[in-house]
Amino acid sequence: KNQRMTLGICVMLSGLWMAEASATQAPAGPCQTDLDCSLNGHCNHDGSCSCSAPWTDNTRGAVVEPCSVFMVEPHPDNYIPAYGGGPTRTSTAWMKQNPTSWGGNILFDKVDGKFHLYASAMANGVGLSGWGHDSEIDHAVADDPMAQFVKQDTALMPEAHNAAPIRSPNGTYMIFHIGGGGLHVSDGPDGPWRPVKFFGCNNPAPAFHPNGTAFVVCHNGGYSMYSTDDVWSGDWTHVTSLDFPPSWGGGANNPNATFLRNEDPYLYFDASGGFHVLGHRYDYRDGYPVNPNQTMPVLVSGHAYSRDGLDWRFNSAQQPFDPIVTFTNGTVQQFSTFERPHLVFGGPNGTTPTHLVSAVQPYWLDPQTGNACDGCDARVGSAHSCVVCKTSKGIDYTFTLVLKLGSSGSGIPAE
């Protein structure tokens, strides 16, 4: 593993180097191909979609977008967040805490049989408002993705943020991130971590195609995708930039473009090599006082998909998951935001999403006024915008949350 590895695999389609990807709204009505099932299911001869776990049809919105919403298992009543707050945290309620964490992802190691979480965490006891100078990437371990992870070490010292860990085809552990070089690798889950040449990619979302080609989506003003056949060289080629539809804030002269934003892409491939991007979508108008044009439930997520990486479709009728957690006992907890989506995979071929890992802000109702997101900072369209509760000083205590996704015929649609 210490040797430099060249994947040596060409990009699969001759037309892949186009500069702009086309955007298409997900279709309504009977399916004709699996694309009409959001690439999350199979189109049957009768025009219906059979969704693959953990996807199901949307239950809200003016049109049906088959297989566009996650099914989520009821959350354990005694759940303690994966990372954030240490031994003092005993629930998912908002509280002042140390450390504050901001998402990451979980990798399973077959050698030790443990799940390894690499999470962005704030050093020196500060809240998330200090992410630009106090963020490190902590390494924590648990026996199950739904357990509370225990810190083992600090993988990367400040400044390193927005951890995106992944295994390369040869088994190397890789952490893509912002700050401090952008990419570090190790032969094992415990380090040591050594830098690898990378480029200026904001909020990198790496993934390896089933054919071995490495891709990364960056949030550089929009979602731009790059690829390489040699991740060790540092030479990446621009593939395409996703063209958001109006429902995602895109399009010329869109009056909602000021309010509707997208960040935090997460790229992954399905078993057939289809491209998928989960992302943090948000609406600055979500907040207090209530804006009659705001998105409800609070907008936090989106799903885009493509057969070839060029022709992209976007689900818009209902987001794949909302910032609402339903517990086994029936109680419901609303969060002001879910961000930094990542997936843990399992199943027979290791390609079935089994858990959703998110960075969350549990602050919701102001303790004095009882108003949602009251006390959070202002953004255009809202005097107290929910999306910035996470960095509003005094309440900027966040943690990393894991949701178990439903299998076929079980679970509940994401609320």
Side-chain angles (χ1 to χ4, degrees):
K1 295 180 183 177
N2 290 320
Q3 295 179 347
R4 184 170 175 266
M5 181 190 70
T6 301
L7 297 177
I9 298 174
C10 296
V11 178
M12 55 191 168
L13 295 176
S14 60
L16 200 56
W17 305 115
M18 295 172 60
E20 292 295 328
S22 59
T24 305
Q25 197 77 24
C31 65
Q32 296 181 348
T33 72
D34 292 352
L35 278 168
D36 301 329
C37 306
S38 308
L39 278 187
N40 291 322
H42 175 69
C43 180
N44 301 313
H45 293 300
D46 63 359
S48 64
C49 288
S50 295
C51 300
S52 302
W55 294 93
T56 189
D57 297 345
N58 61 300
T59 58
R60 295 194 297 268
V63 299
V64 174
E65 295 177 347
C67 313
S68 61
V69 177
F70 278 132
M71 299 187 74
V72 179
E73 295 287 348
H75 213 55
D77 297 334
N78 60 350
Y79 177 81
I80 301 174
Y83 200 69
T88 62
R89 177 169 282 284
T90 58
S91 73
T92 55
W94 179 87
M95 59 178 283
K96 293 184 178 181
Q97 64 180 28
N98 182 21
T100 281
S101 79
W102 190 240
N105 206 5
I106 299 167
L107 303 178
F108 179 72
D109 187 83
K110 292 182 179 179
V111 176
D112 64 14
K114 302 287 187 181
F115 291 90
H116 295 259
L117 170 68
Y118 301 92
S120 304
M122 303 304 109
N124 305 314
V126 303
L128 191 62
S129 58
W131 72 266
H133 45 79
D134 284 306
S135 181
E136 62 189 26
I137 295 179
D138 286 355
H139 167 219
V141 174
D143 293 326
D144 187 274
M146 295 299 293
Q148 185 179 29
F149 283 73
V150 178
K151 182 178 179 180
Q152 300 299 294
D153 54 72
T154 298
L156 300 176
M157 298 295 291
E159 176 61 22
H161 190 58
N162 283 354
I166 193 173
R167 299 286 296 276
S168 76
N170 75 347
T172 299
Y173 282 76
M174 315 182 81
I175 302 178
F176 290 74
H177 57 92
I178 58 175
L183 173 58
H184 285 76
V185 303
S186 172
D187 295 333
D190 303 317
W193 298 90
R194 56 191 184 275
V196 171
K197 182 182 176 183
F198 194 47
F199 68 103
C201 176
N202 184 46
N203 293 356
F208 287 92
H209 191 274
N211 70 10
T213 303
F215 290 84
V216 65
V217 175
C218 308
H219 174 232
N220 294 338
Y223 289 175
S224 296
M225 187 165 65
Y226 301 79
S227 74
T228 183
D229 60 4
D230 182 0
V231 294
W232 313 106
S233 70
D235 298 325
W236 293 76
T237 300
H238 180 256
V239 176
T240 192
S241 295
L242 277 66
D243 184 14
F244 298 130
S247 57
W248 283 47
N253 304 315
N254 186 344
N256 293 319
T258 302
F259 313 110
L260 297 176
R261 305 292 181 90
N262 313 293
E263 62 174 0
D264 292 349
Y266 172 71
L267 173 68
Y268 69 97
F269 294 98
D270 59 38
S272 300
F275 293 69
H276 296 259
V277 170
L278 292 177
H280 174 223
R281 297 181 60 209
Y282 57 99
D283 186 340
Y284 276 142
R285 296 168 296 189
D286 294 348
Y288 179 80
V290 175
N291 186 317
N293 296 313
Q294 73 183 48
T295 305
M296 289 302 290
V298 172
L299 183 63
V300 296
S301 67
H303 173 243
Y305 54 99
S306 171
R307 181 81 74 186
D308 58 10
L310 291 175
D311 180 18
W312 286 87
R313 296 186 179 186
F314 298 79
N315 292 130
S316 296
Q318 182 176 336
Q319 53 190 328
F321 58 90
D322 296 330
I324 301 171
V325 173
T326 300
F327 291 86
T328 303
N329 63 11
T331 61
V332 173
Q333 181 178 354
Q334 170 81 54
F335 294 73
S336 56
T337 192
F338 267 51
E339 304 186 21
R340 304 290 305 149
H342 285 75
L343 294 173
V344 179
F345 292 89
N349 299 316
T351 57
T352 300
T354 60
H355 296 80
L356 172 69
V357 183
S358 300
V360 303
Q361 166 57 295
Y363 182 90
W364 181 238
L365 300 179
D366 180 274
Q368 274 73 49
T369 67
N371 296 316
C373 299
D374 195 357
C376 303
D377 292 341
R379 287 295 184 269
V380 59
S382 179
H384 302 281
S385 184
C386 292
V387 71
V388 290
C389 293
K390 60 182 183 282
T391 51
S392 300
K393 289 189 175 181
I395 60 173
D396 56 337
Y397 299 98
T398 61
F399 56 74
T400 301
L401 180 81
V402 180
L403 293 175
K404 187 175 182 180
L405 299 177
S407 58
S408 180
S410 67
I412 54 176
E415 292 295 339

